[in-house]
Amino acid sequence: MKRIIIIGGCAAGPKAAAKAKRLNPDNVVELYTKENMVSYSACGLPYFIGGVVPNVNNLMVRSPEEFKKSGVDIFLNHECTKIIPEEKTVVFNNEKTVSYDELILCIGSNPIVPKINNYPLKNIFNLKVIDDGVKIKQIAITAKSVVIIGAGYIAIELLEAFVKNKLKIYVIEKSRKMLRVLDNEISDCVRDEILKRGEGLIEFLFEDEVIEFIGEEKFEGVKTKNGREIFADFCVIAVGVLPNISIAKEAGIEIGIKGGIRVDNKMRTSVPHIWAAGDCTEQSFIPTKQTVYMALGTIANKQGRVAAINASAEEHGITETFDGVLGSMITKYFDYSIAATGMSESSANSLREYINIKPISSTVEEFDKAGYMPQIGILKIKLIADSVTGTILGAQVVGTGDADKRISVVASALRAGLTISEFLHLDLPYAPPFSSTIDPLLTAAYKLKQIIDS
Amino acid sequence: MKRIIIIGGCAAGPKAAAKAKRLNPDNVVELYTKENMVSYSACGLPYFIGGVVPNVNNLMVRSPEEFKKSGVDIFLNHECTKIIPEEKTVVFNNEKTVSYDELILCIGSNPIVPKINNYPLKNIFNLKVIDDGVKIKQIAITAKSVVIIGAGYIAIELLEAFVKNKLKIYVIEKSRKMLRVLDNEISDCVRDEILKRGEGLIEFLFEDEVIEFIGEEKFEGVKTKNGREIFADFCVIAVGVLPNISIAKEAGIEIGIKGGIRVDNKMRTSVPHIWAAGDCTEQSFIPTKQTVYMALGTIANKQGRVAAINASAEEHGITETFDGVLGSMITKYFDYSIAATGMSESSANSLREYINIKPISSTVEEFDKAGYMPQIGILKIKLIADSVTGTILGAQVVGTGDADKRISVVASALRAGLTISEFLHLDLPYAPPFSSTIDPLLTAAYKLKQIIDS
């Protein structure tokens, strides 16, 4: 029996709490969160804003009452203000002290706010917590125009929601492209497909930056580095997140090179009996063993599970591991899917010397099922491998077909370290409603093999 | 430059012909088929019968004219009647002799016709070639009832077509279940779901056999071993196929233990300069290295490719291999998908001694995406592993969710020989429209790991 205290209520925290209690019903498991709710799907917010999910309450995974029933106590509106490892206690709201045997930090991340003149103003939002989603949905109903800063996947998901609301949308992105995990030519193809489905409402401003917000109390527009003045009803900043680490740092817990809490593959921090999971931690990128920072719900859930298992175990019983990430991602814009895993060709190229690889790629564009079937989709597939060893390094799949399946298969192959020669012998299931006899993924693999052999 | 003769015009043959010409435009490539057409998708026939594919011509992949343009000569209505390896010639229609440098046999399979009294009669069909499909579609329009002998996936695909045509359907199956590749409880679940969507039109007769056809010239019904007399307008026999080997056997080409042409992983037969690919050959089952016989379009295409590459190469350049099959399959019945790969638990159990494994399984039933999304599907996932080594042995996935993706991922893991511990670290892409944060496949893996560890 242990007293396990968990801080954080979004994804990793609730997962860890439920698991810790299930593993040993004698454990005392308490979850503290600064928010006024617990266990919700932040990833679902764009779908709530776009009306796909009708009610925000649908995004609540588990209520405090349900946790209570399973023996986990939830403490809302409890902000952790101090961790005292030498006493094995935590202080909430500067007043309430709680002791622990094991402490699991799932304290998440904070949205990045670029340094922009005249910030903050009313009607400038992030999209991080439930309340952000509610506010954005509310304003989007009556507004006529919006500025989105950033062109990652939150931006893409918001674009669909805002096009449905018939808003004029300006997307301002510092780099030359959308979704930096994609190679330039794939990203450009995504941009074109997004504009094609944009009903003329979307304008992209690449290689530009907001230098000043216009407005007095309320947001009225932006001035950009390239000299544009854009007026709009509201603004969403979606340029990513940074790990939330301040209380951990103050407590002497080691912070890693990417700015997140450093954990080993058992989810141990540098301080005994303190574990961490989710957006507040750094991860290891499986293909290169480099440290990366990826704030994703899947990672949070898996890490939360591992932290709970190991925190519940006796010292000698700590065996569960979280081995790292592949950077697998997927998102959707109307009928168009965008997915990737592993390294892009450009990121692989930038690592040529560091990990001694010679990246090479093939790209194919193919129907995603038998050509005579109705509702046939098209997929553009880019497969990247090391031409020296043949090892697969990554893939990008975009289009109206089932990109999810193809990227999932490559993720599985990456995890196993398959070479392209092994990969093209994959025996994938076939029937006309699901794929072509030779799956487009294998066509990409054949092509890549040919390039390597020639 | 070589003179490459290919016999067979459905899947492996056309693939081999196109590849052999592309590899070296100086090659003389001729394809002979006994049929009056070439290069069509037999797998699409149920969808033509059900009206999903409006015109039978849609199933033609490539016309003889298109082949001609790419430099491949097609000879229709040419039945191979003799192979003379010592002269390196082939005889067609007992009269025309053609010489070869390399001969690729893609002579396919023949439908199994069980020994039944009073066979043949008019209106008893197989579903093998285009003409079969045209005849079945024609009669299904006016008929009121049908007997299907066999309950494999051709039967399932026909069931959907016939339910749409409002036919009363009797399915007579020798064994206790549908789709023998599935374990009993999964198969029973599929049967129930098929009946649920059957509009009361389907009756299954398991553990029964047709012993006699009723009718004089024309099919009128069947008598079964269990004493049933069933009257219906037509009958489809769908109990599988056997490799077509007679001319190969006569020519002294070795036939393997499963009754197909024995080939090595280069697609070489026992006779020099004669290759074989597709339904006429046996394959190696990757997880056990046993010889199996699987007649599937994907296998035919891949083998045709490998045969063409190696037949075109100089002796020392023969390197391309076809490593074997996993038995991956998928089919669909309205919105319900049925997919499997590798070994079932029962087939694994029957091999316990032979390959020294202790099979164990987990089954979960889960939503296939975030619970708050619309059009959510349900998946039943059974995952099978060896409890001694942890190696994954197979999986079965059925339901209204994306079964294809999950089986494709397991097929990839099987190919790589992943253990369950490795498998549960898969980093699959996640977004609410595509899956739950922890994919149901991983939930099945966690459960299986727990069972193995306990």
Side-chain angles (χ1 to χ4, degrees):
Chain A
M1 182 280 221
K2 285 183 174 188
R3 186 170 159 74
I4 300 175
I5 302 300
I6 292 152
I7 307 180
C10 181
K15 180 77 194 177
K19 187 76 191 173
K21 190 70 194 178
R22 241 193 341 265
L23 282 170
N24 184 352
D26 291 338
N27 283 341
V28 173
V29 180
E30 295 178 353
L31 185 152
Y32 294 80
T33 172
K34 63 183 176 188
E35 295 184 64
N36 60 2
M37 62 184 71
V38 72
S39 189
Y40 58 88
S41 170
C43 310
L45 285 170
Y47 303 95
F48 164 66
I49 295 170
V52 174
V53 175
N55 192 310
V56 78
N57 292 325
N58 298 145
L59 300 181
M60 306 298 166
V61 181
R62 247 175 144 197
S63 68
E65 293 70 36
E66 288 171 287
F67 274 103
K68 181 79 198 164
K69 261 187 222 160
S70 67
V72 174
D73 283 315
I74 304 289
F75 297 83
L76 302 177
N77 303 307
H78 275 65
E79 179 164 13
C80 175
T81 44
K82 196 167 193 176
I83 303 166
I84 312 167
E86 46 280 17
E87 297 176 7
K88 290 179 92 173
T89 59
V90 198
V91 182
F92 293 99
N93 301 333
N94 290 314
E95 53 178 37
K96 179 173 168 181
T97 300
V98 170
S99 69
Y100 64 79
D101 294 324
E102 308 292 337
L103 177 66
I104 307 179
L105 300 177
C106 307
I107 48 182
S109 56
N110 296 313
I112 298 172
V113 180
K115 283 197 184 77
I116 298 172
N117 288 332
N118 200 23
Y119 176 84
L121 290 174
K122 207 173 159 243
N123 295 347
I124 299 178
F125 305 99
N126 296 113
L127 184 56
K128 186 74 181 61
V129 295
I130 290 280
D131 197 41
D132 296 331
V134 172
K135 283 182 188 155
I136 293 174
K137 187 181 171 87
Q138 207 163 26
I139 197 166
I141 293 168
T142 53
K144 298 221 159 11
S145 53
V146 57
V147 169
I148 302 176
I149 304 179
Y153 43 97
I154 302 257
I156 291 179
E157 289 162 7
L158 282 175
L159 274 174
E160 178 177 331
F162 292 156
V163 167
K164 284 181 184 163
N165 277 316
K166 307 283 178 204
L167 298 184
K168 172 76 194 169
I169 310 148
Y170 303 89
V171 180
I172 303 174
E173 163 62 37
K174 208 170 165 175
S175 76
R176 72 167 288 299
K177 67 182 178 191
M178 319 200 60
L179 286 168
R180 292 183 210 182
V181 297
L182 302 179
D183 282 314
N184 288 352
E185 80 284 6
I186 303 290
S187 176
D188 290 349
C189 166
V190 170
R191 175 202 62 208
D192 293 345
E193 295 292 329
I194 282 179
L195 287 172
K196 207 189 278 176
R197 291 161 179 79
E199 303 182 24
L201 294 165
I202 304 171
E203 186 182 335
F204 283 109
L205 291 83
F206 288 109
E207 297 182 303
D208 203 354
E209 283 172 64
V210 174
I211 51 168
E212 186 178 326
F213 288 115
I214 305 169
E216 304 218 333
E217 272 176 48
K218 222 179 66 179
F219 172 86
E220 287 171 21
V222 296
K223 286 185 189 172
T224 79
K225 203 173 103 184
N226 293 349
R228 287 282 300 268
E229 276 197 16
I230 292 166
F231 294 89
D233 297 322
F234 68 106
C235 177
V236 182
I237 304 178
V239 293
V241 297
L242 285 176
N244 177 20
I245 51 152
S246 49
I247 57 156
K249 203 173 170 183
E250 277 165 33
I253 295 169
E254 189 181 337
I255 304 304
I257 54 165
K258 289 288 171 179
I261 297 175
R262 207 174 66 75
V263 286
D264 65 9
N265 68 353
K266 312 287 196 308
M267 299 294 105
R268 283 185 286 224
T269 69
S270 63
V271 173
H273 305 289
I274 301 184
W275 314 75
D279 285 11
C280 61
T281 69
E282 298 176 345
Q283 302 87 32
S284 167
F285 186 58
I286 291 174
T288 63
K289 312 280 173 244
Q290 288 177 298
T291 299
V292 291
Y293 177 64
M294 288 181 189
L296 289 170
T298 38
I299 299 173
N301 265 280
K302 287 183 192 159
Q303 290 185 326
R305 177 182 165 275
V306 171
I309 293 174
N310 293 335
S312 305
E314 296 310 312
E315 204 71 42
H316 61 271
I318 295 174
T319 55
E320 196 70 8
T321 62
F322 176 78
D323 291 356
V325 299
L326 295 171
S328 303
M329 62 76 64
I330 186 161
T331 189
K332 201 174 81 68
Y333 175 77
F334 293 102
D335 63 334
Y336 193 80
S337 297
I338 303 138
T341 189
M343 285 186 260
S344 67
E345 188 171 17
S346 57
S347 68
N349 269 323
S350 71
L351 293 170
R352 284 178 89 102
E353 319 292 293
Y354 177 76
I355 51 169
N356 195 25
I357 49 171
K358 274 194 183 168
I360 200 154
S361 74
S362 69
T363 301
V364 298
E365 192 161 36
E366 299 264 331
F367 288 134
D368 84 320
K369 49 182 86 119
Y372 49 82
M373 293 299 285
Q375 283 144 21
I376 192 165
I378 289 188
L379 288 176
K380 181 174 275 207
I381 299 180
K382 178 168 182 173
L383 201 55
I384 301 124
D386 172 20
S387 61
V388 182
T389 60
T391 309
I392 295 170
L393 299 175
Q396 293 156 58
V397 182
V398 297
T400 53
D402 187 348
D404 187 19
K405 171 171 87 170
R406 277 75 186 192
I407 283 297
S408 296
V409 168
V410 179
S412 181
L414 273 176
R415 183 67 187 75
L418 287 191
T419 65
I420 198 77
S421 299
E422 291 165 330
F423 188 79
L424 50 80
H425 290 292
L426 281 188
D427 185 8
L428 301 175
Y430 160 71
F434 298 98
S435 68
S436 38
T437 20
I438 302 264
D439 194 274
L441 193 55
L442 297 186
T443 307
Y446 289 140
K447 194 172 166 188
L448 190 48
K449 177 76 162 37
Q450 253 168 12
I451 297 172
I452 291 176
D453 289 348
S454 66
Chain B
M1 180 280 221
K2 284 184 174 186
R3 186 171 159 72
I4 300 175
I5 302 299
I6 292 152
I7 307 180
C10 182
K15 180 78 195 176
K19 188 76 191 172
K21 190 69 192 179
R22 240 192 343 264
L23 282 169
N24 184 352
D26 291 338
N27 284 340
V28 173
V29 180
E30 295 179 352
L31 184 151
Y32 294 80
T33 172
K34 64 184 175 188
E35 296 184 64
N36 60 3
M37 61 185 71
V38 72
S39 190
Y40 58 88
S41 170
C43 309
L45 286 170
Y47 303 95
F48 165 66
I49 295 170
V52 173
V53 176
N55 192 311
V56 78
N57 292 325
N58 298 145
L59 300 181
M60 306 299 167
V61 181
R62 247 176 144 196
S63 68
E65 293 70 35
E66 288 171 287
F67 274 103
K68 181 79 198 165
K69 260 187 224 161
S70 67
V72 174
D73 283 316
I74 304 289
F75 297 83
L76 303 177
N77 304 308
H78 275 66
E79 179 163 14
C80 175
T81 45
K82 197 167 192 176
I83 302 167
I84 312 167
E86 47 279 18
E87 297 175 7
K88 291 178 91 174
T89 59
V90 198
V91 182
F92 293 99
N93 301 333
N94 290 316
E95 53 178 38
K96 179 173 170 181
T97 299
V98 170
S99 70
Y100 64 79
D101 293 323
E102 308 291 337
L103 176 67
I104 307 179
L105 300 177
C106 307
I107 47 183
S109 56
N110 296 314
I112 297 172
V113 180
K115 284 197 184 78
I116 299 171
N117 287 333
N118 200 22
Y119 176 84
L121 291 175
K122 206 172 161 245
N123 296 348
I124 299 178
F125 305 99
N126 296 113
L127 184 56
K128 187 73 181 60
V129 294
I130 291 280
D131 198 41
D132 297 331
V134 172
K135 282 181 189 154
I136 293 173
K137 188 180 170 86
Q138 206 163 27
I139 196 167
I141 292 167
T142 52
K144 298 222 161 9
S145 54
V146 57
V147 168
I148 301 177
I149 305 179
Y153 44 96
I154 301 257
I156 291 179
E157 289 163 5
L158 282 175
L159 274 174
E160 177 176 331
F162 292 156
V163 167
K164 283 181 183 163
N165 276 318
K166 308 282 177 203
L167 297 184
K168 172 75 194 170
I169 310 148
Y170 303 89
V171 180
I172 303 174
E173 163 62 37
K174 207 169 166 176
S175 77
R176 72 167 288 297
K177 68 181 177 191
M178 321 201 58
L179 285 167
R180 292 184 210 182
V181 297
L182 302 180
D183 283 313
N184 288 353
E185 81 284 5
I186 303 290
S187 176
D188 290 349
C189 166
V190 170
R191 177 202 60 208
D192 293 347
E193 295 292 330
I194 282 179
L195 288 171
K196 207 189 279 178
R197 291 161 179 79
E199 302 182 23
L201 293 165
I202 304 171
E203 186 182 336
F204 283 109
L205 290 82
F206 288 110
E207 297 181 303
D208 203 354
E209 283 174 63
V210 174
I211 50 168
E212 186 178 328
F213 287 115
I214 305 169
E216 305 220 332
E217 272 177 49
K218 222 178 66 177
F219 171 86
E220 287 172 21
V222 295
K223 287 185 189 172
T224 80
K225 202 173 104 185
N226 293 350
R228 286 284 300 268
E229 275 196 16
I230 292 166
F231 294 90
D233 297 322
F234 69 106
C235 176
V236 182
I237 303 178
V239 294
V241 296
L242 285 177
N244 176 21
I245 50 154
S246 49
I247 57 157
K249 203 174 170 182
E250 277 166 32
I253 295 169
E254 190 182 336
I255 304 304
I257 54 166
K258 289 287 171 181
I261 297 175
R262 207 173 67 76
V263 285
D264 65 9
N265 69 351
K266 313 286 196 308
M267 299 294 106
R268 282 186 286 225
T269 68
S270 63
V271 173
H273 304 290
I274 301 184
W275 313 75
D279 285 10
C280 61
T281 69
E282 299 177 342
Q283 302 86 33
S284 166
F285 187 58
I286 291 173
T288 61
K289 313 281 172 244
Q290 288 177 299
T291 299
V292 291
Y293 176 64
M294 289 181 190
L296 290 170
T298 39
I299 299 173
N301 266 280
K302 287 182 192 161
Q303 290 184 326
R305 177 182 165 276
V306 172
I309 293 173
N310 293 334
S312 305
E314 296 310 311
E315 204 71 42
H316 60 271
I318 296 174
T319 55
E320 196 68 9
T321 61
F322 176 78
D323 291 357
V325 299
L326 295 170
S328 302
M329 63 76 64
I330 186 161
T331 189
K332 200 172 81 67
Y333 175 77
F334 292 100
D335 63 335
Y336 193 80
S337 297
I338 303 137
T341 189
M343 285 187 260
S344 66
E345 189 172 15
S346 57
S347 69
N349 270 322
S350 71
L351 293 170
R352 284 178 88 103
E353 320 292 293
Y354 177 73
I355 51 171
N356 195 24
I357 49 170
K358 274 195 183 169
I360 199 154
S361 75
S362 68
T363 301
V364 299
E365 193 161 36
E366 299 263 331
F367 288 134
D368 84 320
K369 50 182 86 117
Y372 50 81
M373 293 300 285
Q375 285 145 20
I376 193 165
I378 289 187
L379 288 176
K380 182 174 276 208
I381 300 181
K382 178 169 183 173
L383 202 55
I384 301 124
D386 172 19
S387 61
V388 181
T389 59
T391 309
I392 294 171
L393 299 175
Q396 294 156 57
V397 181
V398 297
T400 53
D402 186 348
D404 187 19
K405 171 171 85 169
R406 276 74 185 193
I407 283 298
S408 296
V409 168
V410 178
S412 181
L414 273 175
R415 182 67 188 74
L418 287 191
T419 65
I420 198 75
S421 299
E422 292 165 330
F423 187 80
L424 50 80
H425 290 292
L426 281 188
D427 185 7
L428 301 175
Y430 160 71
F434 298 98
S435 68
S436 38
T437 20
I438 302 266
D439 195 275
L441 193 54
L442 298 185
T443 307
Y446 289 140
K447 194 172 166 187
L448 189 49
K449 178 77 164 36
Q450 252 167 13
I451 297 173
I452 291 176
D453 289 349
S454 66

